[in-house]
Amino acid sequence: DTGVSQDPRHKITKRGQNVTFRCDPISEHNRLYWYRQTLGQGPEFLTYFQNEAQLEKSRLLSDRFSAERPKGSFSTLEIQRTEQGDSAMYLCASSVAGTVGAGEQYFGPGTRLTVT
Amino acid sequence: AQSVAQPEDQVNVAEGNPLTVKCTYSVSGNPYLFWYVQYPNRGLQFLLKYITGDNLVKGSYGFEAEFNKSQTSFHLKKPSALVSDSALYFCAVVAGTYKYIFGTGTRLKVLA
């Protein structure tokens, strides 16, 4: 078990460029979450997949953001036409569907995005 | 709407003393409650969770938390703090769906 991995770990981009991040969850986990975290704040929910289906998407997620999990394994998060306000740590987490309630999440190390 | 409050930005405690990090929540329905810890340059790590049953939940690294339904609280505790416990702690709640709501975090500083 290698845990949740994210790539890249750091990304610096110019305003207006598109960026794509990848998340590889723990292999037997069927749920995958994306969060955004800014300094001094807790993780902020962006979207959630169960297998390949995107079941919930935050209203905070503008149409510049899109996420996919094509085969129910890895996931990508794309941000189009980046803005300086997109600068943050993007976290991925995975979990197993619990038999009772929500299962604990396992987080990756995050991708730190800086938009200049 | 679901929400979580961590009223203290920072908690300072002397090594060897008991520690408490506070969390209160607001949900409709039965809550599922979690504590996570974040060390510098590391991802969040799961500490413990309350789903149902015993109100006192034991977790990793000697931490425990007490679920109090009447006070809608889920405070994190440890009988004897270690310097290595110094980190950022997050409380989270899930209710109704599988969407997690995290608090803003409490920085724990254990002084030698």
Side-chain angles (χ1 to χ4, degrees), chain A residues 69-104:
Chain A
R69 193 182 184 199
K71 295 183 180 178
S73 57
F74 73 93
S75 175
T76 58
L77 177 69
E78 182 182 17
I79 308 174
Q80 296 182 326
R81 304 181 303 281
T82 52
E83 301 172 357
Q84 287 187 321
D86 296 332
S87 296
M89 178 75 85
Y90 289 84
L91 299 172
C92 176
S94 68
S95 70
V96 177
T99 53
V100 177
E104 61 267 26

mmCIF file of all heavy atoms in Angstrom, chain A residues 69-104:
data_model
loop_
_atom_site.group_PDB
_atom_site.id
_atom_site.type_symbol
_atom_site.label_atom_id
_atom_site.label_comp_id
_atom_site.label_asym_id
_atom_site.label_seq_id
_atom_site.Cartn_x
_atom_site.Cartn_y
_atom_site.Cartn_z
ATOM 1 N N ARG A 69 -12.807 11.005 -13.334
ATOM 2 C CA ARG A 69 -12.251 9.750 -12.804
ATOM 3 C C ARG A 69 -12.693 8.667 -13.785
ATOM 4 O O ARG A 69 -13.596 7.893 -13.507
ATOM 5 C CB ARG A 69 -12.752 9.487 -11.393
ATOM 6 C CG ARG A 69 -11.991 8.397 -10.686
ATOM 7 C CD ARG A 69 -12.526 8.113 -9.304
ATOM 8 N NE ARG A 69 -11.694 7.129 -8.635
ATOM 9 C CZ ARG A 69 -12.079 6.424 -7.588
ATOM 10 N NH1 ARG A 69 -13.287 6.602 -7.052
ATOM 11 N NH2 ARG A 69 -11.265 5.542 -7.025
ATOM 12 N N PRO A 70 -12.047 8.618 -14.925
ATOM 13 C CA PRO A 70 -12.574 7.875 -16.079
ATOM 14 C C PRO A 70 -12.784 6.384 -15.857
ATOM 15 O O PRO A 70 -13.713 5.816 -16.381
ATOM 16 C CB PRO A 70 -11.544 8.143 -17.172
ATOM 17 C CG PRO A 70 -10.327 8.636 -16.474
ATOM 18 C CD PRO A 70 -10.778 9.291 -15.228
ATOM 19 N N LYS A 71 -11.942 5.731 -15.126
ATOM 20 C CA LYS A 71 -12.104 4.288 -14.970
ATOM 21 C C LYS A 71 -12.282 3.911 -13.510
ATOM 22 O O LYS A 71 -12.080 2.766 -13.124
ATOM 23 C CB LYS A 71 -10.902 3.549 -15.568
ATOM 24 C CG LYS A 71 -10.800 3.726 -17.074
ATOM 25 C CD LYS A 71 -9.647 2.933 -17.652
ATOM 26 C CE LYS A 71 -9.577 3.132 -19.157
ATOM 27 N NZ LYS A 71 -8.439 2.403 -19.763
ATOM 28 N N GLY A 72 -12.646 4.880 -12.715
ATOM 29 C CA GLY A 72 -12.837 4.612 -11.305
ATOM 30 C C GLY A 72 -11.545 4.394 -10.556
ATOM 31 O O GLY A 72 -11.571 3.890 -9.426
ATOM 32 N N SER A 73 -10.417 4.772 -11.179
ATOM 33 C CA SER A 73 -9.147 4.631 -10.470
ATOM 34 C C SER A 73 -8.559 6.011 -10.215
ATOM 35 O O SER A 73 -9.016 6.695 -9.318
ATOM 36 C CB SER A 73 -8.191 3.741 -11.263
ATOM 37 O OG SER A 73 -7.996 4.269 -12.566
ATOM 38 N N PHE A 74 -7.597 6.456 -11.030
ATOM 39 C CA PHE A 74 -7.015 7.773 -10.807
ATOM 40 C C PHE A 74 -8.008 8.867 -11.189
ATOM 41 O O PHE A 74 -9.003 8.619 -11.884
ATOM 42 C CB PHE A 74 -5.711 7.928 -11.591
ATOM 43 C CG PHE A 74 -5.912 8.094 -13.079
ATOM 44 C CD1 PHE A 74 -6.009 9.357 -13.649
ATOM 45 C CD2 PHE A 74 -6.002 6.986 -13.906
ATOM 46 C CE1 PHE A 74 -6.198 9.516 -14.998
ATOM 47 C CE2 PHE A 74 -6.191 7.129 -15.265
ATOM 48 C CZ PHE A 74 -6.301 8.392 -15.814
ATOM 49 N N SER A 75 -7.733 10.064 -10.736
ATOM 50 C CA SER A 75 -8.592 11.199 -11.056
ATOM 51 C C SER A 75 -7.732 12.381 -11.479
ATOM 52 O O SER A 75 -6.558 12.485 -11.092
ATOM 53 C CB SER A 75 -9.412 11.608 -9.829
ATOM 54 O OG SER A 75 -10.181 12.778 -10.070
ATOM 55 N N THR A 76 -8.305 13.244 -12.301
ATOM 56 C CA THR A 76 -7.640 14.490 -12.675
ATOM 57 C C THR A 76 -8.546 15.666 -12.337
ATOM 58 O O THR A 76 -9.764 15.570 -12.406
ATOM 59 C CB THR A 76 -7.301 14.534 -14.172
ATOM 60 O OG1 THR A 76 -8.503 14.371 -14.927
ATOM 61 C CG2 THR A 76 -6.303 13.449 -14.531
ATOM 62 N N LEU A 77 -7.889 16.756 -11.947
ATOM 63 C CA LEU A 77 -8.571 18.024 -11.696
ATOM 64 C C LEU A 77 -7.942 19.051 -12.609
ATOM 65 O O LEU A 77 -6.727 19.262 -12.569
ATOM 66 C CB LEU A 77 -8.400 18.449 -10.233
ATOM 67 C CG LEU A 77 -9.016 19.798 -9.846
ATOM 68 C CD1 LEU A 77 -10.536 19.730 -9.869
ATOM 69 C CD2 LEU A 77 -8.543 20.234 -8.447
ATOM 70 N N GLU A 78 -8.742 19.661 -13.469
ATOM 71 C CA GLU A 78 -8.245 20.665 -14.397
ATOM 72 C C GLU A 78 -8.812 22.028 -14.026
ATOM 73 O O GLU A 78 -10.007 22.150 -13.718
ATOM 74 C CB GLU A 78 -8.628 20.332 -15.843
ATOM 75 C CG GLU A 78 -8.080 21.348 -16.838
ATOM 76 C CD GLU A 78 -8.489 21.076 -18.283
ATOM 77 O OE1 GLU A 78 -9.441 20.302 -18.499
ATOM 78 O OE2 GLU A 78 -7.856 21.651 -19.183
ATOM 79 N N ILE A 79 -7.954 23.017 -14.068
ATOM 80 C CA ILE A 79 -8.383 24.399 -13.884
ATOM 81 C C ILE A 79 -8.038 25.146 -15.165
ATOM 82 O O ILE A 79 -6.870 25.194 -15.578
ATOM 83 C CB ILE A 79 -7.684 25.083 -12.686
ATOM 84 C CG1 ILE A 79 -7.810 24.233 -11.425
ATOM 85 C CG2 ILE A 79 -8.299 26.467 -12.453
ATOM 86 C CD1 ILE A 79 -7.021 24.771 -10.234
ATOM 87 N N GLN A 80 -9.034 25.691 -15.789
ATOM 88 C CA GLN A 80 -8.821 26.449 -17.019
ATOM 89 C C GLN A 80 -8.733 27.946 -16.694
ATOM 90 O O GLN A 80 -9.354 28.425 -15.750
ATOM 91 C CB GLN A 80 -9.974 26.203 -17.990
ATOM 92 C CG GLN A 80 -10.061 24.753 -18.455
ATOM 93 C CD GLN A 80 -11.174 24.548 -19.462
ATOM 94 O OE1 GLN A 80 -12.212 25.193 -19.391
ATOM 95 N NE2 GLN A 80 -10.948 23.653 -20.400
ATOM 96 N N ARG A 81 -7.942 28.645 -17.495
ATOM 97 C CA ARG A 81 -7.824 30.121 -17.378
ATOM 98 C C ARG A 81 -7.578 30.519 -15.911
ATOM 99 O O ARG A 81 -8.363 31.250 -15.299
ATOM 100 C CB ARG A 81 -9.081 30.794 -17.908
ATOM 101 C CG ARG A 81 -9.433 30.407 -19.346
ATOM 102 C CD ARG A 81 -10.689 31.120 -19.850
ATOM 103 N NE ARG A 81 -11.856 30.894 -19.012
ATOM 104 C CZ ARG A 81 -12.605 29.803 -19.038
ATOM 105 N NH1 ARG A 81 -12.297 28.796 -19.833
ATOM 106 N NH2 ARG A 81 -13.669 29.704 -18.251
ATOM 107 N N THR A 82 -6.488 30.008 -15.368
ATOM 108 C CA THR A 82 -6.208 30.209 -13.947
ATOM 109 C C THR A 82 -6.193 31.678 -13.567
ATOM 110 O O THR A 82 -5.810 32.553 -14.351
ATOM 111 C CB THR A 82 -4.876 29.572 -13.541
ATOM 112 O OG1 THR A 82 -3.851 30.034 -14.429
ATOM 113 C CG2 THR A 82 -4.954 28.065 -13.582
ATOM 114 N N GLU A 83 -6.612 31.921 -12.333
ATOM 115 C CA GLU A 83 -6.619 33.259 -11.748
ATOM 116 C C GLU A 83 -5.769 33.224 -10.476
ATOM 117 O O GLU A 83 -5.547 32.161 -9.896
ATOM 118 C CB GLU A 83 -8.056 33.654 -11.390
ATOM 119 C CG GLU A 83 -8.992 33.662 -12.575
ATOM 120 C CD GLU A 83 -10.451 33.870 -12.185
ATOM 121 O OE1 GLU A 83 -10.729 33.960 -10.953
ATOM 122 O OE2 GLU A 83 -11.300 33.934 -13.085
ATOM 123 N N GLN A 84 -5.326 34.388 -10.041
ATOM 124 C CA GLN A 84 -4.473 34.425 -8.847
ATOM 125 C C GLN A 84 -5.192 33.856 -7.629
ATOM 126 O O GLN A 84 -4.572 33.241 -6.766
ATOM 127 C CB GLN A 84 -3.982 35.848 -8.598
ATOM 128 C CG GLN A 84 -2.927 36.275 -9.604
ATOM 129 C CD GLN A 84 -2.300 37.611 -9.273
ATOM 130 O OE1 GLN A 84 -2.976 38.531 -8.833
ATOM 131 N NE2 GLN A 84 -1.007 37.735 -9.509
ATOM 132 N N GLY A 85 -6.497 34.019 -7.584
ATOM 133 C CA GLY A 85 -7.277 33.475 -6.479
ATOM 134 C C GLY A 85 -7.333 31.961 -6.441
ATOM 135 O O GLY A 85 -7.791 31.385 -5.446
ATOM 136 N N ASP A 86 -6.848 31.316 -7.495
ATOM 137 C CA ASP A 86 -6.799 29.849 -7.515
ATOM 138 C C ASP A 86 -5.580 29.328 -6.761
ATOM 139 O O ASP A 86 -5.479 28.119 -6.528
ATOM 140 C CB ASP A 86 -6.750 29.333 -8.962
ATOM 141 C CG ASP A 86 -8.005 29.683 -9.743
ATOM 142 O OD1 ASP A 86 -9.082 29.822 -9.131
ATOM 143 O OD2 ASP A 86 -7.889 29.831 -10.983
ATOM 144 N N SER A 87 -4.665 30.206 -6.410
ATOM 145 C CA SER A 87 -3.473 29.773 -5.686
ATOM 146 C C SER A 87 -3.872 29.156 -4.353
ATOM 147 O O SER A 87 -4.553 29.783 -3.537
ATOM 148 C CB SER A 87 -2.540 30.964 -5.437
ATOM 149 O OG SER A 87 -2.059 31.489 -6.649
ATOM 150 N N ALA A 88 -3.474 27.914 -4.149
ATOM 151 C CA ALA A 88 -3.879 27.158 -2.965
ATOM 152 C C ALA A 88 -3.195 25.803 -3.002
ATOM 153 O O ALA A 88 -2.500 25.466 -3.963
ATOM 154 C CB ALA A 88 -5.404 26.957 -2.940
ATOM 155 N N MET A 89 -3.427 25.011 -1.952
ATOM 156 C CA MET A 89 -3.026 23.612 -1.938
ATOM 157 C C MET A 89 -4.251 22.801 -2.342
ATOM 158 O O MET A 89 -5.329 22.984 -1.771
ATOM 159 C CB MET A 89 -2.554 23.202 -0.542
ATOM 160 C CG MET A 89 -2.157 21.743 -0.434
ATOM 161 S SD MET A 89 -0.567 21.412 -1.197
ATOM 162 C CE MET A 89 0.510 21.842 0.177
ATOM 163 N N TYR A 90 -4.089 21.935 -3.329
ATOM 164 C CA TYR A 90 -5.186 21.074 -3.773
ATOM 165 C C TYR A 90 -4.926 19.674 -3.245
ATOM 166 O O TYR A 90 -3.915 19.046 -3.549
ATOM 167 C CB TYR A 90 -5.321 21.117 -5.293
ATOM 168 C CG TYR A 90 -5.858 22.453 -5.740
ATOM 169 C CD1 TYR A 90 -4.993 23.534 -5.912
ATOM 170 C CD2 TYR A 90 -7.216 22.658 -5.923
ATOM 171 C CE1 TYR A 90 -5.475 24.787 -6.265
ATOM 172 C CE2 TYR A 90 -7.708 23.912 -6.271
ATOM 173 C CZ TYR A 90 -6.832 24.968 -6.432
ATOM 174 O OH TYR A 90 -7.319 26.208 -6.771
ATOM 175 N N LEU A 91 -5.875 19.197 -2.450
ATOM 176 C CA LEU A 91 -5.722 17.914 -1.769
ATOM 177 C C LEU A 91 -6.664 16.882 -2.373
ATOM 178 O O LEU A 91 -7.802 17.189 -2.722
ATOM 179 C CB LEU A 91 -6.072 18.065 -0.279
ATOM 180 C CG LEU A 91 -5.225 19.036 0.531
ATOM 181 C CD1 LEU A 91 -5.815 19.205 1.927
ATOM 182 C CD2 LEU A 91 -3.798 18.558 0.622
ATOM 183 N N CYS A 92 -6.168 15.670 -2.428
ATOM 184 C CA CYS A 92 -6.975 14.535 -2.857
ATOM 185 C C CYS A 92 -7.053 13.561 -1.684
ATOM 186 O O CYS A 92 -6.080 13.412 -0.934
ATOM 187 C CB CYS A 92 -6.324 13.866 -4.056
ATOM 188 S SG CYS A 92 -7.167 12.378 -4.626
ATOM 189 N N ALA A 93 -8.185 12.919 -1.528
ATOM 190 C CA ALA A 93 -8.353 11.924 -0.476
ATOM 191 C C ALA A 93 -9.181 10.773 -1.021
ATOM 192 O O ALA A 93 -9.992 10.954 -1.935
ATOM 193 C CB ALA A 93 -9.039 12.526 0.745
ATOM 194 N N SER A 94 -8.967 9.585 -0.467
ATOM 195 C CA SER A 94 -9.778 8.448 -0.874
ATOM 196 C C SER A 94 -10.266 7.695 0.352
ATOM 197 O O SER A 94 -9.699 7.821 1.444
ATOM 198 C CB SER A 94 -9.005 7.529 -1.817
ATOM 199 O OG SER A 94 -7.937 6.869 -1.151
ATOM 200 N N SER A 95 -11.336 6.946 0.161
ATOM 201 C CA SER A 95 -11.895 6.173 1.264
ATOM 202 C C SER A 95 -12.666 4.994 0.706
ATOM 203 O O SER A 95 -12.958 4.923 -0.492
ATOM 204 C CB SER A 95 -12.811 7.036 2.139
ATOM 205 O OG SER A 95 -14.000 7.371 1.458
ATOM 206 N N VAL A 96 -12.995 4.088 1.600
ATOM 207 C CA VAL A 96 -13.823 2.943 1.254
ATOM 208 C C VAL A 96 -15.227 3.233 1.739
ATOM 209 O O VAL A 96 -15.407 3.821 2.806
ATOM 210 C CB VAL A 96 -13.293 1.668 1.931
ATOM 211 C CG1 VAL A 96 -14.184 0.486 1.633
ATOM 212 C CG2 VAL A 96 -11.882 1.385 1.489
ATOM 213 N N ALA A 97 -16.216 2.841 0.958
ATOM 214 C CA ALA A 97 -17.596 3.004 1.397
ATOM 215 C C ALA A 97 -17.800 2.194 2.666
ATOM 216 O O ALA A 97 -17.622 0.985 2.666
ATOM 217 C CB ALA A 97 -18.541 2.518 0.304
ATOM 218 N N GLY A 98 -18.142 2.896 3.756
ATOM 219 C CA GLY A 98 -18.278 2.215 5.034
ATOM 220 C C GLY A 98 -19.594 1.459 5.133
ATOM 221 O O GLY A 98 -20.588 1.830 4.514
ATOM 222 N N THR A 99 -19.591 0.421 5.943
ATOM 223 C CA THR A 99 -20.840 -0.302 6.156
ATOM 224 C C THR A 99 -21.752 0.489 7.071
ATOM 225 O O THR A 99 -22.963 0.406 6.987
ATOM 226 C CB THR A 99 -20.579 -1.678 6.779
ATOM 227 O OG1 THR A 99 -19.786 -1.502 7.959
ATOM 228 C CG2 THR A 99 -19.816 -2.563 5.802
ATOM 229 N N VAL A 100 -21.163 1.295 7.949
ATOM 230 C CA VAL A 100 -21.947 2.178 8.809
ATOM 231 C C VAL A 100 -21.356 3.556 8.691
ATOM 232 O O VAL A 100 -20.205 3.778 9.046
ATOM 233 C CB VAL A 100 -21.907 1.732 10.281
ATOM 234 C CG1 VAL A 100 -22.676 2.728 11.157
ATOM 235 C CG2 VAL A 100 -22.465 0.333 10.428
ATOM 236 N N GLY A 101 -22.110 4.473 8.155
ATOM 237 C CA GLY A 101 -21.646 5.848 8.103
ATOM 238 C C GLY A 101 -20.506 6.056 7.132
ATOM 239 O O GLY A 101 -20.240 5.231 6.270
ATOM 240 N N ALA A 102 -19.836 7.165 7.308
ATOM 241 C CA ALA A 102 -18.775 7.555 6.389
ATOM 242 C C ALA A 102 -17.443 7.000 6.868
ATOM 243 O O ALA A 102 -17.126 7.029 8.044
ATOM 244 C CB ALA A 102 -18.705 9.074 6.314
ATOM 245 N N GLY A 103 -16.665 6.483 5.930
ATOM 246 C CA GLY A 103 -15.349 5.963 6.281
ATOM 247 C C GLY A 103 -14.328 7.069 6.401
ATOM 248 O O GLY A 103 -14.506 8.150 5.846
ATOM 249 N N GLU A 104 -13.228 6.775 7.101
ATOM 250 C CA GLU A 104 -12.185 7.777 7.230
ATOM 251 C C GLU A 104 -11.495 7.963 5.892
ATOM 252 O O GLU A 104 -11.427 7.046 5.067
ATOM 253 C CB GLU A 104 -11.171 7.381 8.305
ATOM 254 C CG GLU A 104 -10.433 6.089 8.050
ATOM 255 C CD GLU A 104 -11.127 4.908 8.699
ATOM 256 O OE1 GLU A 104 -12.367 4.956 8.910
ATOM 257 O OE2 GLU A 104 -10.417 3.915 8.992
#
